[in-house]
Amino acid sequence: MINENYQKLSESYLFSEIARKVKAYKEEHPKADIISLGIGDVTQPLCPAVIEALHKATDEMACSATFRGYGPERGYDFLRNAIVQNDFQARGIEMDADEIFVSDGAKSDTGNFQELLSKDVRIAVTDPVYPVYVDSNIMAGREIVYLPCKAENDFAPELPAEHVDVIYLCYPNNPTGTTLNRVQLKKWVDYALKEGALIFYDAAYEAYIQSDDVPHSIYEVEGAKQCAVEFHSYSKTAGFTGIRCGYTVVPKEVKSEELRVRNSSLNQLWNRRQSTKFNGTSYLSQRAAEAIYTPDGKAQIQATICYYMENARLMREALTVMGFMVYGGVDAPYLWVKVPEGTTSWGFFEEMLHKANVVCTPGVGFGNAGEGYVRLTAFGRREQTVEALKRIKTLG
Ligand SMILES: *Cc1c(COP(=O)(O)O)cnc(C)c1O
């Protein structure tokens, strides 16, 4: 007998449906030069500091004196210390290296963390949403409360009317590209502290933040260390989608009444879970991640982020001039664009594909509240991005 919850998963047909429609169009129009503004993957190569670290780590593996086998379960000290210093202490946040768990990326950790909780906890997610939060909880048999995010509420979810135990927040947001400022985020921390709820904060796009009033970490908000777990990834920060490395912060103060009585903590439970089911991220990936915290590494990854954010700026500017309502794209590599009156997410997708040969992602694929929007990404190459904008302009 299989886990019957898997039958409750809705077919993840969004990206396969897009691929199918693009393929069908190409077969009918073999000469069409199609540009994708739909990709959620980076396109720029790894920076020189990372490449150098990878070569060096590889050479160490070739010599018995410096060879490394299984690493420490929470990750190597060299990386956890660099994380504490650069991502937290530099922002005035106190963090212990034992609160950092190095991982192979944020998808696995955001998907797996729910394992620590009872099947009966009430989960809330924003709508539209990164599908991992929803599907991992459906697999575990939980029901989910959706918090709609639309232009009408500035894409900031309202506090749930009923009690929830866990809230997944992702800011800067995928797919909308919008953010929460300090005041908006504090509302959620206060809610969690008052309700005894837990916040799962996905900070995968933190490095793209340009505005001063947008927190890079939820721990910039007072009280968050008692109620929040935070997920980080080097995928979008440094182009590690193929290298694989990230980390999760589990503060020692995060405890429920039950954990307090047992003299335990979420940090201990996650350590137990990881040491049972995970054998660490490769030494090479961790050395590569360490390199982005060097002065050269920092400057180099910043240059790539600027490249993508210049795409975002060009897209925002051009689409706004064309009369589109455009959200996001200021502190995130995603733009969330309202489709013209009288059409739908999929309708506009078809129009863009057929008339402009540009691929976008229908917003409804990320949840019902995404109907009426499409997502465009700034991860493309400059020439292609500019060319795509020129073509969209001819749509009229
Ligand atoms: C890309 C992305 C991640 C990162 O996933 P990795 O497994 O680290 O590559 C996490 N959360 C969101 C919302 C993302 O879009």
Side-chain angles (χ1 to χ4, degrees):
M1 284 186 281
I2 58 157
N3 177 348
E4 61 185 20
N5 296 320
Y6 276 63
Q7 288 173 27
K8 297 181 199 152
L9 294 166
S10 57
E11 259 336 293
S12 138
Y13 82 122
L14 178 62
F15 290 97
S16 55
E17 186 65 8
I18 292 171
R20 195 186 63 74
K21 285 180 191 276
V22 172
K23 185 163 168 264
Y25 182 83
K26 269 188 186 156
E27 275 163 11
E28 272 173 54
H29 307 85
K31 289 205 186 104
D33 162 37
I34 295 171
I35 298 177
S36 179
L37 294 183
I39 36 168
D41 199 352
V42 296
T43 53
Q44 296 296 303
L46 295 170
C47 70
V50 165
I51 295 298
E52 196 183 313
L54 281 169
H55 280 299
K56 189 162 166 266
T58 305
D59 287 340
E60 286 177 41
M61 288 299 207
C63 171
S64 64
T66 47
F67 168 78
R68 311 270 187 143
Y70 289 126
E73 272 143 7
R74 294 179 196 225
Y76 283 98
D77 284 347
F78 62 76
L79 178 55
R80 289 189 302 138
N81 291 334
I83 290 168
V84 166
Q85 236 170 37
N86 292 281
D87 289 347
F88 299 100
Q89 283 172 359
R91 298 201 171 101
I93 302 164
E94 271 188 51
M95 197 63 74
D96 193 295
D98 282 345
E99 298 177 304
I100 308 293
F101 295 80
V102 174
S103 72
D104 64 357
K107 186 177 196 170
S108 1
D109 282 12
T110 53
N112 291 329
F113 212 93
Q114 49 75 31
E115 264 187 54
L116 303 189
L117 309 173
S118 148
K119 184 186 164 299
D120 301 323
V121 297
R122 286 178 70 83
I123 304 285
V125 300
T126 61
D127 175 9
V129 68
Y130 181 57
V132 177
Y133 317 147
V134 172
D135 289 348
S136 56
N137 279 290
I138 290 178
M139 287 170 178
R142 296 194 189 91
E143 286 187 17
I144 295 161
V145 176
Y146 290 88
L147 310 170
C149 296
K150 299 184 171 207
E152 291 76 32
N153 59 9
D154 206 16
F155 301 96
E158 274 139 49
L159 297 176
E162 60 222 302
H163 168 84
V164 299
D165 301 296
V166 179
I167 309 112
Y168 287 79
L169 295 175
C170 171
Y171 289 98
N173 188 259
N174 177 13
T176 66
T178 58
T179 54
L180 293 186
N181 62 30
R182 253 178 214 95
V183 175
Q184 289 172 309
L185 189 54
K186 183 171 186 305
K187 215 172 71 169
W188 282 96
V189 171
D190 291 346
Y191 173 87
L193 291 173
K194 185 168 122 280
E195 294 282 322
L198 183 60
I199 297 175
F200 288 155
Y201 198 73
D202 187 340
Y205 296 94
E206 161 274 313
Y208 288 83
I209 295 172
Q210 315 287 320
S211 308
D212 288 338
D213 64 341
V214 177
H216 288 253
S217 163
I218 195 170
Y219 306 116
E220 289 179 37
V221 177
E222 201 188 327
K225 277 194 94 179
Q226 280 123 63
C227 63
V229 170
E230 185 167 276
F231 304 95
H232 286 251
S233 166
Y234 297 110
S235 286
K236 318 302 167 21
T237 305
F240 274 40
T241 49
I243 293 282
R244 310 306 306 146
C245 194
Y247 67 90
T248 293
V249 186
V250 192
K252 292 177 191 163
E253 295 104 295
V254 184
K255 288 180 186 188
S256 62
E257 198 46 49
E258 185 189 2
L259 284 168
R260 239 183 285 276
V261 170
R262 292 200 208 158
N263 200 21
S264 181
S265 65
L266 209 58
N267 181 292
Q268 282 179 32
L269 293 190
W270 185 241
N271 191 47
R272 187 72 176 85
R273 191 271 174 204
Q274 289 297 78
S275 49
T276 300
K277 295 197 186 182
F278 181 61
N279 245 342
T281 310
S282 80
Y283 175 67
L284 273 66
S285 297
Q286 294 190 59
R287 281 295 187 197
E290 180 193 24
I292 73 162
Y293 293 109
T294 60
D296 281 350
K298 279 182 191 172
Q300 290 163 3
I301 63 166
Q302 206 48 52
T304 303
I305 289 169
C306 284
Y307 177 89
Y308 294 136
M309 289 312 285
E310 175 62 9
N311 284 347
R313 194 190 64 78
L314 292 168
M315 291 162 76
R316 268 185 70 87
E317 201 175 87
L319 292 163
T320 306
V321 169
M322 290 175 219
F324 286 99
M325 286 302 292
V326 183
Y327 305 93
V330 176
D331 296 294
Y334 295 120
L335 282 81
W336 193 241
V337 180
K338 187 100 185 86
V339 305
E341 202 66 45
T343 185
T344 60
S345 286
W346 278 109
F348 190 62
F349 166 89
E350 298 272 357
E351 193 182 335
M352 288 263 277
L353 176 60
H354 290 239
K355 297 194 190 152
N357 290 178
V358 172
V359 179
C360 60
T361 313
V364 70
F366 299 99
N368 291 333
E371 179 54 276
Y373 297 90
V374 293
R375 187 190 74 174
L376 300 181
T377 82
F379 286 133
R381 282 178 245 286
R382 178 68 42 79
E383 318 79 71
Q384 292 201 318
T385 305
V386 169
E387 170 63 20
L389 291 170
K390 226 187 282 172
R391 294 189 199 165
I392 297 170
K393 202 170 166 191
T394 65
L395 286 183

